[in-house]
Amino acid sequence: MTSKEYKTITDIKGPLVFLEKTEPVAYGEIVSIRLSDGSEKNGQVLDTSDDMVVVQVFEGTEAIDRKAGVKFLGDVFKLPVSKGLIGRILDGAGRPRDGGPEIIADEDADIIGAAINPYSRQSPHDFIQTGVSAIDCCTTLVRGQKLPIFSASGLPHNDIALQIARQAKLRDSDEEFIVVFCAMGITAEEYNFFRSDLERTGALENAALFVNLADDPAVERLITPRLALTAAEYLAFEHDYHVLVIYTDMTNYCDSLRQIGAAREEVPGRRGYPGYMYTDLAMLYERAGIVKGKKGSITQFPILTMPGDDITHPIPDLSGYITEGQIVISRELHQAGIYPPINVLPSLSRLMGSCIGEKTTRDDHKKVSDQMYAAYAQGRELRGLVAIVGEDALNERDLQLLKFADIFEDKFLRQDRDEDRTIDETLNLCWDLMTSIDTKYLVRLDQELIEKYHPEEKKE
Amino acid sequence: MSKNEGVIYRISGPVVTATGIEARMYEVVRVGHEKLMGEVIEIHGEQSVIQVYEDTSGIRPGEPVLSTGQTLSVQLGPGLLTQIYDGIQRPLKTLEEVMGVFITRGVDADGLDLEKKWEFVPTASTGDEVKGGQVIGTVQETDTITHKIMVPPKASGKIKSIKSGEFNVTQTVCKLDDGTEIQMMQEWPVRHPRPYSQKYAPDTPLVTGMRILDFLFPLAKGGAAGIPGPFGSGKTVTQQSLAKYSDAQLVVYIGCGERGNEMTEVLDEFPHLIDPNTGKPLMNRTVMIANTSNMPVAAREASVYTGITIAEYFRDQGYDVALMADSTSRWAEAMREISSRLEEMPGEEGYPAYLSSRLAEFYERAGRVETLNGEDGSVTVIGAVSPPGGDISEPVSQGTLRIVKVFWGLDAGLARQRHFPAINWLSSYSLYPQSLNQWFRDNIASDFPEVRTQISALLKVEAELQEIVQLVGSDALPIDQQLTLEVARMIREYFLQQNGFDPIDAYSGVQQQYAMAQAILTFQEEAKKAMAAGARLQDVVNVPARTELMRARFAEGYLEKIGGLVEAMVVEIAETAEAN
């Protein structure tokens, strides 16, 4: 392959370098740039023609001048993968960050990742018990799902993600998850929090970390999740692991995407984000799932912080259109001192229907979940009314629902950071809490279930 | 002489510029050593701009480009049904056999199985004068669908010979005296509407089995509907329900830029689901196109055209076809992405200026027509729209609403209340009731339109009353208005809410919908009478027979039982007056 060094840079703009008079360069090819002080930077070809090549530089263009030498390495970006990735910490471009040796590769995998043929997918249907009541009961997680956490700055999304990573298991099975953790532009403090928690619980030995911190190059963030997912795919589909990918924070990723778009003078879409952001995000999120004939699976937990707590912001909005539901963290609940502050009302798990019921969780799960949800929703609505007209204007049913909303938050949502509730415990808790409402108002439950489970109406 | 080989000049994502070929617009070309499929979308002097349907990583300037002389076409003939294709009609099953579970590139696959033999039964004879679109024979493709073999639209003449027996789709089954050979397979360029004799005004509803749709906002066979809604409001569930239960004879389902797992769900589910109209597996009447969000964006752009061309082909055989496109917003985004790579001057929100005309052209391919064969056929188009943030003032929603006559507006608030289908009865509309009323009067009940008017009036009154309730509480309302609220609640909870996952409730025939609406009006009538005679509203509402009436809809044979249940309710309501 050509290893000729070009010194034909014409323009340098933001993270982009433009150069001319090259031999034919491949689209997506990896580029190495040698600076006058001898240091090197890496990049990738974004646009190529006979006259002009545009290179996106991962480490930023700082200190690059027109005399810098540019080499095209003849290949697209690849990650060396092997089982040796487990237990390692790598930086945002896939180099060891833990002082350990280079990864000895079994193969080099293309990080862009090909789309899974929809025909070859297998529908996810294995219930994952997270031990968090709000999730297990109301937005049940399924193995192979992509379920983001929609949070905002100042909220404990990291604690929730870690609690899920610690506790997630299949019921009646000791198969564990391997965690692939991908940090994009988070602070060193947040990263240390994740790392020390994974260390404390021993999960670090079963994890691979890809870390791009807030002071690492922003453009590198565009490849970090692709590296993490490439590692996840290799471990899941070549070595039968069940992989849980946690990546945080998607908002930083999208901002890097916007930065590149702006530097290329592309026509921006909403709020300056590029028009192809949906496709770009899909190429990450869609790398979750299970395929026929392979034992492993990839479950994704992306975390994103909604700018201004706004769920209609392009980042949560486009994510919500791709992912299979979302877990929404509420500032209001957090301020009320409730952990985990999950607002179940806008939260959703699209795959829930396929994994709950008699055979997997319990026969009453669906109806109990609907009833809890409906009663809580009505109770919350009544709070607004009470603020205007006072409790006296409420009838008996409304009063019960109003009280139930408080009970729901205090007893059902609230749990300790280390409290791991089984699905049976969660559902029994639901029944206990629902005794505060007259059974005649529990219209979403049928008589049969009431007789089977209701603590006061049970017929043994 | 047109030159058919050139070289790549520039590559920018899915857009490749080539020099040295003299291609026509929308001609299919093969790009690079791997012969990736692409389509010419712009010509600048010597340069042809090509959108490529596969990933272009690793391709270099200087690699060859071949023009094929053809425009992007689909293969039409026996073997389409039960298939699942990508956006450019490559069967996903074949791709799996060739490439494994991940879709790589550079693989060509025929849309139809060229080897499989079908039993061809001629319906025309030697010496018959035939013209384009005329049926000359049939193939029993699945249990329920007889595939009609037609003379290609542009051919005509006298039949010189016609065969009978087992043939594959490329073998000649009929010869005309001008030498034209007719095979069971024909090709058609996807961006061209297929011809028909004339378009009719629609007069028959597409019965979907969803109460809110059929009863309040009916769609006509041959009509077009838009379903906009934010994420999580149930667009896909609604689309899938329509694909399952609507009384179209054939369904083309396009998963355009959506989730992979959703397509898998459809694939897993449809073969086991029974079509309520024929009693056969749903898959037998279905063609699926799946170009998920992470598959190449140019193929996503093509997928809706591939789908509608297949739909038109079955329409031309005299069938009623329903096409679901989920989601047209992803299609529009594909256009935007390509347009931005072409550095075209953008219109609103970065979408190309031709967005609304493309949308209009697409929806205009819906319609009820007289086919070239003189039969009646229709294509009904139902397009999901995914407006950012649920705000339908954006260009794709607006462009769609200008064309479609039915608007089913999904509402995040309703979805949050777990009111499904989360279709807002106040903002949705249908412009078809006028033309469909006669059908409802003739086939369901002579007062059907009047009952519908009463039900929707009640919902409107409720919305006004709710505003007052928000301020003062419901107890402050006069008792007759409180009753109105109860009746409206019955409409919402008993009639409009429908559980798409419940095997029985998921489908309601129109006859049953009418009976249920009547039951609600009977309740209102009887409650008024009883309360005039002194009954308390609370007692009237809580009669057990009413609860039973409402619950029984989840059990089989509801239509037969409903009369008895209503009678029981009437008796119990009357008793509440006597008790006082």
Side-chain angles (χ1 to χ4, degrees):
Chain A
M1 215 67 256
T2 170
S3 56
K4 203 185 269 179
E5 188 174 275
Y6 296 96
K7 298 213 171 205
T8 53
I9 295 181
T10 57
D11 296 352
I12 303 168
K13 191 163 59 174
L16 304 181
V17 167
F18 299 74
L19 68 164
E20 56 181 21
K21 292 185 200 129
T22 60
E23 276 165 30
V25 170
Y27 177 74
E29 191 168 341
I30 288 301
V31 179
S32 152
I33 302 174
R34 196 172 47 79
L35 276 55
S36 43
D37 63 358
S39 62
E40 275 199 15
K41 288 181 188 262
N42 295 307
Q44 189 175 13
V45 174
L46 280 191
D47 196 329
T48 168
S49 68
D50 290 350
D51 307 328
M52 177 71 71
V53 174
V54 183
V55 176
Q56 154 189 329
V57 184
F58 297 135
E59 292 94 337
T61 46
E62 194 187 349
I64 299 182
D65 58 15
R66 290 184 54 199
K67 282 178 277 188
V70 180
K71 264 190 198 172
F72 296 94
L73 304 181
D75 204 353
V76 294
F77 206 116
K78 294 199 165 160
L79 176 75
V81 286
S82 75
K83 269 174 95 167
L85 282 166
I86 300 172
R88 296 298 303 273
I89 302 176
L90 307 173
D91 73 3
R95 294 171 294 234
R97 190 190 168 101
D98 51 6
E102 292 285 329
I103 305 291
I104 295 163
D106 283 347
E107 58 181 276
D108 287 322
D110 184 349
I111 68 157
I112 299 300
I116 299 175
N117 186 334
Y119 184 83
S120 315
R121 278 182 185 268
Q122 197 182 318
S123 285
H125 49 67
D126 291 328
F127 163 66
I128 296 179
Q129 178 179 299
T130 65
V132 178
S133 290
I135 296 176
D136 288 352
C137 173
C138 301
T139 49
T140 316
L141 177 64
V142 189
R143 194 153 72 177
Q145 188 173 16
K146 41 193 180 289
L147 190 63
I149 299 182
F150 284 9
S151 188
S153 25
L155 297 180
H157 41 263
N158 292 343
D159 298 68
I160 297 171
L162 278 168
Q163 186 168 5
I164 292 166
R166 272 198 309 272
Q167 299 179 353
K169 57 180 153 305
L170 285 196
R171 219 180 163 199
D172 310 319
S173 151
D174 37 341
E175 269 181 299
E176 288 213 0
F177 285 96
I178 281 211
V179 174
V180 169
F181 175 78
C182 167
M184 293 169 284
I186 61 170
T187 61
E189 203 175 316
E190 281 176 288
Y191 162 62
N192 286 334
F193 174 74
F194 272 103
R195 205 190 55 187
S196 60
D197 193 89
L198 291 172
E199 249 166 18
R200 176 173 70 88
T201 55
L204 195 58
E205 289 163 33
N206 272 324
L209 277 60
F210 291 84
V211 183
N212 166 289
L213 296 184
D215 56 352
D216 289 333
V219 180
E220 195 181 85
R221 270 163 224 162
L222 296 178
I223 52 169
T224 313
R226 296 191 159 80
L227 297 173
L229 289 165
T230 304
E233 273 170 3
Y234 175 77
L235 294 171
F237 301 138
E238 301 297 326
H239 290 288
D240 300 343
Y241 286 107
H242 295 292
V243 185
L244 188 64
V245 183
I246 300 177
Y247 38 121
T248 181
D249 178 334
M250 283 309 290
T251 307
N252 295 333
Y253 172 84
C254 293
D255 284 350
S256 293
L257 206 60
R258 177 163 67 176
Q259 200 183 330
I260 288 285
R264 295 184 68 188
E265 294 176 2
E266 288 168 348
V267 179
R270 271 205 310 156
R271 302 222 184 172
Y273 292 98
Y276 50 80
M277 193 158 88
Y278 176 84
T279 307
D280 192 277
L281 287 175
M283 291 179 73
L284 301 178
Y285 294 141
E286 278 289 332
R287 291 170 83 174
I290 309 174
V291 296
K292 284 180 203 157
K294 309 261 183 192
K295 283 201 190 115
S297 65
I298 297 179
T299 310
Q300 286 190 16
F301 251 113
I303 299 173
L304 59 90
T305 48
M306 300 182 278
D309 295 12
D310 177 11
I311 200 167
T312 66
H313 185 281
I315 299 171
D317 191 53
L318 294 180
S319 297
Y321 276 121
I322 308 164
T323 56
E324 286 140 353
Q326 65 277 340
I327 294 171
V328 180
I329 313 287
S330 148
R331 192 174 299 278
E332 191 190 319
L333 289 170
H334 179 62
Q335 282 164 346
I338 289 160
Y339 175 90
I342 295 171
N343 185 356
V344 299
L345 301 183
S347 299
L348 170 75
S349 165
R350 291 171 187 272
L351 302 182
M352 179 170 173
S354 64
C355 81
I356 63 171
E358 200 172 348
K359 289 192 192 116
T360 46
T361 55
R362 219 165 76 176
D363 55 350
D364 58 335
H365 190 156
K366 172 89 177 82
K367 296 224 155 119
V368 165
S369 163
D370 284 351
Q371 182 63 64
M372 291 285 284
Y373 184 99
Y376 178 60
Q378 290 172 30
R380 292 244 317 198
E381 217 173 281
L382 287 165
R383 279 183 189 163
L385 185 62
V386 167
I388 302 170
V389 297
E391 282 193 22
D392 296 346
L394 298 189
N395 57 30
E396 182 204 357
R397 170 176 176 273
D398 289 354
L399 268 178
Q400 289 183 2
L401 289 171
L402 181 70
K403 293 222 174 72
F404 178 77
D406 294 334
I407 297 173
F408 182 94
E409 289 169 4
D410 186 47
K411 298 276 194 309
F412 175 73
L413 287 186
R414 191 196 295 279
Q415 66 185 87
D416 283 340
R417 282 172 168 73
D418 281 319
E419 189 177 350
D420 189 356
R421 295 182 190 155
T422 67
I423 183 67
D424 275 311
E425 284 167 356
T426 291
L427 292 174
N428 290 341
L429 175 67
C430 295
W431 282 101
D432 283 342
L433 302 181
M434 284 190 293
T435 56
S436 69
I437 305 174
D438 262 2
T439 41
K440 68 169 180 250
Y441 301 133
L442 299 174
V443 289
R444 300 204 179 221
L445 298 172
D446 48 42
Q447 200 52 36
E448 204 179 313
L449 289 176
I450 290 178
E451 282 168 18
K452 191 166 170 192
Y453 293 106
H454 196 287
E456 288 161 14
E457 314 264 332
K458 221 187 271 187
K459 289 188 181 160
E460 291 299 339
Chain B
M1 242 249 355
S2 83
K3 283 190 277 180
N4 65 4
E5 186 164 347
V7 291
I8 298 177
Y9 164 72
R10 177 184 172 190
I11 303 144
S12 169
V15 174
V16 167
T17 311
T19 53
I21 50 169
E22 277 172 23
R24 291 174 296 146
M25 280 293 273
Y26 297 112
E27 181 170 337
V28 171
V29 293
R30 299 284 170 176
V31 175
H33 296 304
E34 291 178 79
K35 294 196 165 47
L36 309 183
M37 188 165 165
E39 195 181 9
V40 176
I41 51 171
E42 210 173 271
I43 295 170
H44 289 295
E46 281 290 286
Q47 295 182 344
S48 307
V49 182
I50 300 157
Q51 64 174 356
V52 180
Y53 294 120
E54 299 176 80
D55 178 38
T56 52
S57 294
I59 311 286
R60 290 166 197 276
E63 289 190 30
V65 176
L66 287 171
S67 68
T68 61
Q70 286 177 322
T71 49
L72 183 63
S73 301
V74 284
Q75 297 179 334
L76 302 166
L80 284 168
L81 292 171
T82 74
Q83 277 289 5
I84 171 163
Y85 293 115
D86 75 351
I88 45 174
Q89 213 207 5
R90 296 185 302 178
L92 290 176
K93 188 162 181 264
T94 314
L95 295 189
E96 184 192 68
E97 282 156 15
V98 182
M99 316 192 260
V101 299
F102 291 100
I103 296 180
T104 50
R105 61 187 188 190
V107 176
D108 237 349
D110 284 302
L112 296 179
D113 185 338
L114 303 186
E115 303 303 321
K116 183 165 176 174
K117 301 248 183 197
W118 299 91
E119 179 74 34
F120 175 77
V121 182
T123 54
S125 341
T126 308
D128 287 0
E129 229 15 279
V130 292
K131 56 186 175 32
Q134 197 162 330
V135 176
I136 51 166
T138 60
V139 166
Q140 194 64 38
E141 187 172 350
T142 66
D143 287 353
T144 43
I145 302 294
T146 308
H147 197 115
K148 297 175 190 163
I149 306 300
M150 296 171 287
V151 178
K154 284 167 192 158
S156 64
K158 196 186 258 188
I159 295 180
K160 193 173 164 200
S161 66
I162 185 160
K163 295 180 190 164
S164 156
E166 295 217 321
F167 301 97
N168 68 34
V169 292
T170 55
Q171 285 172 322
T172 299
V173 291
C174 176
K175 276 185 192 150
L176 302 184
D177 56 5
D178 65 357
T180 309
E181 296 189 348
I182 299 173
Q183 296 86 25
M184 286 196 272
M185 178 175 83
Q186 44 177 289
E187 297 199 356
W188 190 262
V190 297
R191 292 179 200 278
H192 268 284
R194 284 176 62 88
Y196 49 82
S197 295
Q198 59 169 321
K199 250 188 195 180
Y200 295 128
D203 62 1
T204 314
L206 181 82
V207 176
T208 66
M210 286 168 86
R211 293 187 284 266
I212 185 167
L213 304 188
D214 294 345
F215 196 81
L216 292 182
F217 310 111
L219 171 61
K221 285 200 174 106
I227 320 184
F231 65 82
S233 59
K235 273 187 305 296
T236 301
V237 178
T238 308
Q239 287 274 40
Q240 290 186 3
S241 262
L242 291 170
K244 286 178 200 164
Y245 301 121
S246 71
D247 68 344
Q249 289 157 303
L250 276 128
V251 169
V252 177
Y253 191 96
I254 310 172
C256 173
E258 289 286 310
R259 303 176 182 90
N261 276 335
E262 267 166 12
M263 294 315 298
T264 312
E265 203 181 293
V266 173
L267 281 174
D268 282 355
E269 207 180 357
F270 272 37
H272 306 293
L273 283 175
I274 299 300
D275 178 355
N277 303 299
T278 62
K280 301 287 183 193
L282 271 176
M283 209 59 200
N284 285 356
R285 64 162 197 181
T286 310
V287 182
M288 265 193 282
I289 317 262
N291 210 89
T292 58
S293 52
N294 56 339
M295 285 157 73
V297 84
R300 192 201 298 166
E301 196 270 334
S303 66
V304 298
Y305 294 107
T306 301
I308 197 143
T309 307
I310 292 172
E312 284 176 339
Y313 172 69
F314 282 108
R315 172 203 72 191
D316 292 346
Q317 298 174 33
Y319 287 114
D320 289 319
V321 186
L323 175 132
M324 284 93 199
D326 184 14
S327 152
T328 57
S329 293
R330 306 303 163 222
W331 171 50
E333 280 166 11
M335 277 190 250
R336 173 166 73 182
E337 195 169 330
I338 305 281
S339 159
S340 127
R341 302 266 185 190
L342 295 177
E343 293 164 12
E344 289 174 341
M345 182 70 89
E348 229 178 319
E349 292 192 19
Y351 287 104
Y354 46 79
L355 171 71
S356 59
S357 59
R358 290 278 169 88
L359 283 168
E361 280 163 23
F362 168 66
Y363 282 104
E364 208 35 39
R365 289 174 77 168
R368 187 173 147 242
V369 304
E370 184 190 333
T371 65
L372 295 178
N373 196 39
E375 288 175 286
D376 208 20
S378 70
V379 174
T380 312
V381 174
I382 301 152
V385 185
S386 318
D391 172 11
I392 61 161
S393 66
E394 56 89 40
V396 185
S397 303
Q398 288 303 313
T400 306
L401 290 183
R402 278 211 300 275
I403 316 153
V404 299
K405 290 207 165 61
V406 175
F407 169 70
W408 294 327
L410 289 162
D411 185 319
L414 289 174
R416 221 164 283 156
Q417 291 162 31
R418 296 291 192 263
H419 175 110
F420 287 114
I423 294 167
N424 187 316
W425 51 90
L426 298 172
S427 66
S428 299
Y429 61 79
S430 163
L431 300 180
Y432 288 116
Q434 288 307 325
S435 36
L436 299 178
N437 275 349
Q438 201 52 47
W439 187 93
F440 283 116
R441 285 190 207 277
D442 295 346
N443 292 279
I444 307 296
S446 56
D447 63 345
F448 188 96
E450 288 73 28
V451 172
R452 171 167 56 213
T453 311
Q454 287 186 55
I455 294 285
S456 49
L458 277 163
L459 289 167
K460 285 210 181 72
V461 173
E462 187 208 20
E464 289 161 20
L465 290 178
Q466 283 295 356
E467 282 176 22
I468 305 172
V469 171
Q470 291 297 323
L471 295 174
V472 296
S474 61
D475 287 352
L477 291 182
I479 197 75
D480 60 321
Q481 293 189 344
Q482 289 191 31
L483 172 65
T484 307
L485 286 182
E486 283 299 338
V487 175
R489 179 147 91 166
M490 187 169 177
I491 300 176
R492 284 190 280 114
E493 292 180 357
Y494 164 65
F495 190 79
L496 299 183
Q497 280 191 21
Q498 197 170 352
N499 186 344
F501 297 105
D502 183 280
I504 292 167
D505 195 35
Y507 180 84
S508 269
V510 185
Q511 203 72 51
Q512 181 185 326
Q513 298 179 12
Y514 174 75
M516 289 171 76
Q518 279 291 13
I520 296 169
L521 296 178
T522 306
F523 166 73
Q524 186 188 26
E525 213 45 44
E526 295 302 316
K528 264 188 198 157
K529 267 193 245 161
M531 283 158 63
R536 296 192 312 159
L537 173 62
Q538 211 178 342
D539 297 334
V540 171
V541 171
N542 285 331
V543 295
R546 192 180 78 117
T547 316
E548 182 50 34
L549 167 74
M550 288 165 64
R551 276 202 180 150
R553 70 179 191 275
F554 296 103
E556 237 161 305
Y558 187 54
L559 182 58
E560 289 78 55
K561 280 184 265 175
I562 191 165
L565 292 164
V566 171
E567 271 170 39
M569 178 182 73
V570 171
V571 172
E572 285 188 16
I573 292 176
E575 284 167 2
T576 60
E578 286 152 23
N580 275 279

